[in-house]
Amino acid sequence: MKKFINDKLVPMVMKFTNTKIISALKDGMMFVLPFLIVGSLFMLLANIPIPAVANAITKSGWADVFNQIYQSSFSLMAIFAVVGIAYTYIKNEKVDSPFSGSLAALGAFIMLLPSEIKPKGGELITNVISKNWTAGQGMICAIIVGLLSGFIYSYCVKKDWRIKLPAGVPPAVANSFMALIPTAAVLVVAGAICAIFKFVAQTSFAEIIYSAIQTPLQGITDSLGGVVIMTIVMSLLWWCGVHGGAICGAILTPILQSNMSDNQSILDAGKKLTVANGGHIFTQQFWDNYLCMTGAGIVMGLVIYMTFFSKSSALKELGKLSLVPNIFNINEPVIFGVPIVMNLYLLVPFVVFPTCVGIISYLLMQWGILPLFSGVMVPWTTPPIISGFLIGGWRTALWQFVIIILSMIVYWPFIKKYDQFLLNQQSAVK
């Protein structure tokens, strides 16, 4: 089994992970994360869940300032995504002036958005950019445009389709002219796509992508089956020694962030955030603070046993070293130190437990026992219970505490058996 995994499965997964598209998507989406966290924190400040404090902030006028910061970060996530993905793609191709290419991608993205809105009961407003399309609603369009623009720009530069000026010309001027043809190629292709959808489909490219791709994808992932499949895949990849979070995150992050953005839109519209009102369960917070709480596999119970109850010296010392990082959701020392990788003793709890947590959490949110997540995010290193309280209130924090207790119960018999195995080896050496 280990030979099959090492010789067949792992190389195949690594090959997929290192493809140009997945690398650009995975690393490019990281450009979005700081803005989401900052925007979420200011939205939390504008809507502190303590009525007296919230009213005081609103009356003072600071709520408007905090909301403006939130709108200028969280509501522009698709713009940050298209720039980050195009920049990363061009940079990975080792092409000069990736920033110019990312700006070309931004221009192409804006070109392909709807350029008019019609408020309910109002007249058509033209030449505008709606924040609905620069937020989660335009995320899949941003991904496609970012990848396509990165490819076109890199292709033109590699073919040396550039205007070269004499050596005496200042570098800033020379670089702008060298980027002229690749930038024009990106914008011309985007213009052709815009024209096709305008005259043939009587709509915009972004609207078609949203209805034909993004909406179905959000529906598929935001389901109990989607939670189960992605949790199992992530856990199995980690068990095989592959970074399951990076691989699954590259695929899921745009969708989960779009789900989160839709949830916040429901609240912004003055509606109650419920499943009945179109709220999504499977969001970025669900992934970070339930499925990956204390790291992949939800291994806090394992670390607690190793630190305080282990009999083998190797596990006990590793537990002491891993406890603090694990509190901050870092569990690589455990995965590769115990190791959990290729360890048949720990395969069952490592895969089954987070899957069960995902199922139970999903059902509790669907039934209204746990709240759905709004647009509030916290850094993924925020310790559990604290993170739960900040993003979902006391019910979410309490559920995280229960998960930790369950983690101890589930991992206990498996790690105890492995501990005895290591202790026997330790005694044999002596």
Side-chain angles (χ1 to χ4, degrees), residues 235 294-303 305 331 334 340 345-354 403-418:
S235 300
T294 71
I298 316 179
V299 295
M300 176 56 80
L302 177 72
V303 175
Y305 175 91
N331 71 338
V334 180
I340 292 175
Y345 283 96
L346 299 173
L347 172 61
V348 171
F350 188 75
V351 175
V352 173
F353 180 60
I403 291 173
I404 293 174
I405 300 301
L406 292 175
S407 176
M408 295 175 60
I409 296 171
V410 170
Y411 273 102
W412 188 282
F414 296 94
I415 188 59
K416 186 176 182 181
K417 189 74 174 177
Y418 183 60

Side-chain angles (χ1 to χ4, degrees), residues 242-324:
V242 180
H243 200 303
I247 295 173
C248 294
I251 301 170
L252 276 179
T253 296
I255 303 298
L256 298 183
Q257 290 179 356
S258 297
N259 290 347
M260 178 182 66
S261 178
D262 286 352
N263 282 2
Q264 185 58 42
S265 297
I266 293 172
L267 290 174
D268 292 342
K271 299 178 183 178
K272 191 175 181 181
L273 182 54
T274 62
V275 175
N277 285 337
H280 298 285
I281 295 175
F282 196 13
T283 62
Q284 189 66 50
Q285 300 97 321
F286 189 99
W287 178 268
D288 291 340
N289 300 282
Y290 287 157
L291 301 182
C292 296
M293 191 183 78
T294 71
I298 316 179
V299 295
M300 176 56 80
L302 177 72
V303 175
I304 291 173
Y305 175 91
M306 291 165 53
T307 306
F308 300 104
F309 304 101
S310 177
K311 296 180 181 178
S312 65
S313 58
L315 283 184
K316 183 172 285 291
E317 291 303 315
L318 181 62
K320 293 177 182 178
L321 293 172
S322 304
L323 182 60
V324 173

Side-chain angles (χ1 to χ4, degrees), residues 105-146:
L106 176 59
F109 174 65
I110 293 175
M111 189 188 307
L112 296 173
L113 295 179
S115 60
E116 54 191 29
I117 59 173
K118 186 175 183 181
K120 292 182 179 180
E123 296 182 359
L124 187 69
I125 303 174
T126 60
N127 296 322
V128 296
I129 301 174
S130 171
K131 283 187 177 179
N132 289 333
W133 292 104
T134 60
Q137 198 166 296
M139 186 62 77
I140 298 300
C141 178
I143 291 172
I144 295 173
V145 173

Side-chain angles (χ1 to χ4, degrees), residues 213-237:
I213 299 177
Q214 182 162 334
T215 300
L217 277 177
Q218 287 183 262
I220 293 170
T221 54
D222 189 29
S223 65
L224 186 57
V227 170
V228 170
I229 291 171
M230 295 311 300
T231 307
I232 291 175
V233 169
M234 177 190 66
S235 300
L236 285 176
L237 287 173

Side-chain angles (χ1 to χ4, degrees), residues 4-147:
F4 168 77
I5 292 173
N6 287 324
D7 296 346
K8 302 292 184 181
L9 182 60
V10 172
M12 183 172 62
V13 171
M14 294 305 297
K15 184 178 180 180
F16 171 77
T17 306
N18 293 324
T19 58
K20 295 178 181 179
I21 290 177
I22 296 300
S23 295
L25 184 58
K26 174 169 58 72
D27 297 335
M29 287 302 299
M30 295 304 294
F31 283 73
V32 182
L33 190 59
F35 296 97
L36 290 182
I37 293 176
V38 171
S40 298
L41 291 177
F42 277 96
M43 184 180 64
L44 182 62
L45 289 174
N47 301 275
I48 291 177
I50 302 174
V53 177
N55 291 334
I57 293 175
T58 301
K59 290 179 180 179
S60 68
W62 279 103
D64 294 334
V65 177
F66 295 152
N67 280 320
Q68 187 71 357
I69 297 174
Y70 152 70
Q71 290 287 341
S72 300
S73 50
F74 194 95
S75 296
L76 302 180
M77 65 167 69
I79 288 180
F80 303 137
V82 71
V83 171
I85 291 169
Y87 178 87
T88 305
Y89 189 102
I90 298 168
K91 185 179 179 182
N92 290 346
E93 289 288 280
K94 295 180 171 53
V95 168
D96 294 336
S97 57
F99 184 67
S100 297
S102 65
L103 292 181
L106 176 59
F109 174 65
I110 293 175
M111 189 188 307
L112 296 173
L113 295 179
S115 60
E116 54 191 29
I117 59 173
K118 186 175 183 181
K120 292 182 179 180
E123 296 182 359
L124 187 69
I125 303 174
T126 60
N127 296 322
V128 296
I129 301 174
S130 171
K131 283 187 177 179
N132 289 333
W133 292 104
T134 60
Q137 198 166 296
M139 186 62 77
I140 298 300
C141 178
I143 291 172
I144 295 173
V145 173
L147 292 172

